[in-house]
Amino acid sequence: MEWLSLAVLGLLIVISPGADFILVLKNSVNRGRKAGVWTALGVSLAICVHIAYSMLGISYLISQNEVLFNAVRYAGCGYLFYLGVKGIVTAGANPEVEVMSDSPKEVAVLQCLAQGFLCNLLNPKTMLFFLSIFSQVITPDASGNGSALLYGLYMMALHGLWFCMLAMLFTSSALQQHLLSMKKRLNQACGAGLLTFSALLAIKT
């Protein structure tokens, strides 16, 4: 597969709305810019794990083992279900949001980082995407390992830049007040979206 095609495919995968998008939106609107950025960084860091097991061939073994694959799939379903229920239940909460503040006590950095990391890591669709792509760039004599690593780093940077940009956009002065005015409905929609992704992931064979 040509590198330009791989680059475009990676871009389309990243920008297509999914659970990561919803989580970054929810954290940005509710907890401010810093929370959105750290959630985005968590999503990006999870790509390191996908790169590692794809290059080691573990993703192939998991995809061929129904028990292991289902364990990963249902773990992802459970986490998205938890985030969805939490988003709906706490939709009316009104935490302080200071978009431009740098106060370290304002955002639970590790919590946002972990949410983004787990949301992406526990998505078997991401695992299978990396498996299918890496099968195109890794050759039997391992000469393609360098190219595969570069592509993985490209995907990691792409995730980080895209979701950080979204966090900045969602907390911009032009959108912030409008989004905050509809925060409860937005939280409910985000929660419902996460529950939908959880259900689709659970029933997909």
Side-chain angles (χ1 to χ4, degrees), residues 173-185:
S173 57
L175 286 179
Q176 182 70 13
Q177 292 304 316
H178 178 66
L179 290 174
L180 284 177
S181 68
M182 51 185 292
K183 184 171 73 71
K184 182 174 181 178
R185 284 174 294 176

Side-chain angles (χ1 to χ4, degrees), residues 18-35:
D20 295 333
F21 176 90
I22 293 175
L23 184 62
V24 171
L25 170 62
K26 184 173 77 71
N27 282 355
S28 297
V29 172
N30 286 284
R31 308 180 70 177
R33 178 169 295 175
K34 185 180 292 185

Side-chain angles (χ1 to χ4, degrees), residues 58-103:
I58 297 175
S59 58
Y60 176 78
L61 295 177
I62 294 177
S63 69
Q64 298 301 307
N65 186 305
E66 186 176 356
V67 174
L68 286 176
F69 180 74
N70 283 335
V72 174
R73 183 159 65 99
Y74 288 121
C77 291
Y79 188 66
L80 292 180
F81 182 83
Y82 162 75
L83 291 176
V85 171
K86 183 179 179 182
I88 293 175
V89 170
T90 62
N94 190 31
E96 279 191 32
V97 176
E98 297 178 27
V99 176
M100 303 303 293
S101 174
D102 291 323
S103 172

Side-chain angles (χ1 to χ4, degrees), residues 22-205:
I22 293 175
L23 184 62
V24 171
L25 170 62
K26 184 173 77 71
N27 282 355
S28 297
V29 172
N30 286 284
R31 308 180 70 177
R33 178 169 295 175
K34 185 180 292 185
V37 169
W38 279 103
T39 305
L41 293 177
V43 170
S44 180
L45 283 176
I47 302 301
C48 293
V49 181
H50 295 303
I51 294 170
Y53 66 57
S54 293
M55 294 190 68
L56 291 172
I58 297 175
S59 58
Y60 176 78
L61 295 177
I62 294 177
S63 69
Q64 298 301 307
N65 186 305
E66 186 176 356
V67 174
L68 286 176
F69 180 74
N70 283 335
V72 174
R73 183 159 65 99
Y74 288 121
C77 291
Y79 188 66
L80 292 180
F81 182 83
Y82 162 75
L83 291 176
V85 171
K86 183 179 179 182
I88 293 175
V89 170
T90 62
N94 190 31
E96 279 191 32
V97 176
E98 297 178 27
V99 176
M100 303 303 293
S101 174
D102 291 323
S103 172
K105 63 183 179 181
E106 184 181 312
V107 173
V109 168
L110 290 180
Q111 183 182 26
C112 294
L113 188 71
Q115 284 185 350
F117 182 83
L118 291 173
C119 186
N120 185 273
L121 180 66
L122 294 175
N123 189 345
K125 290 184 179 180
T126 306
M127 178 193 72
L128 293 177
F129 166 75
F130 273 90
L131 170 63
S132 62
I133 292 299
F134 274 57
S135 67
Q136 303 292 325
V137 295
I138 295 180
T139 57
D141 59 2
S143 61
N145 284 354
S147 298
L149 180 60
L150 286 176
Y151 186 75
L153 294 176
Y154 162 76
M155 289 298 295
M156 179 181 173
L158 203 58
H159 276 79
L161 289 173
W162 172 248
F163 288 111
C164 281
M165 184 179 73
L166 287 180
M168 300 287 283
L169 176 64
F170 293 147
T171 55
S172 64
S173 57
L175 286 179
Q176 182 70 13
Q177 292 304 316
H178 178 66
L179 290 174
L180 284 177
S181 68
M182 51 185 292
K183 184 171 73 71
K184 182 174 181 178
R185 284 174 294 176
L186 194 58
N187 279 338
Q188 291 171 334
C190 287
L194 290 170
L195 288 176
T196 300
F197 280 110
S198 174
L200 291 175
L201 198 58
I203 63 177
K204 187 176 179 64
T205 58

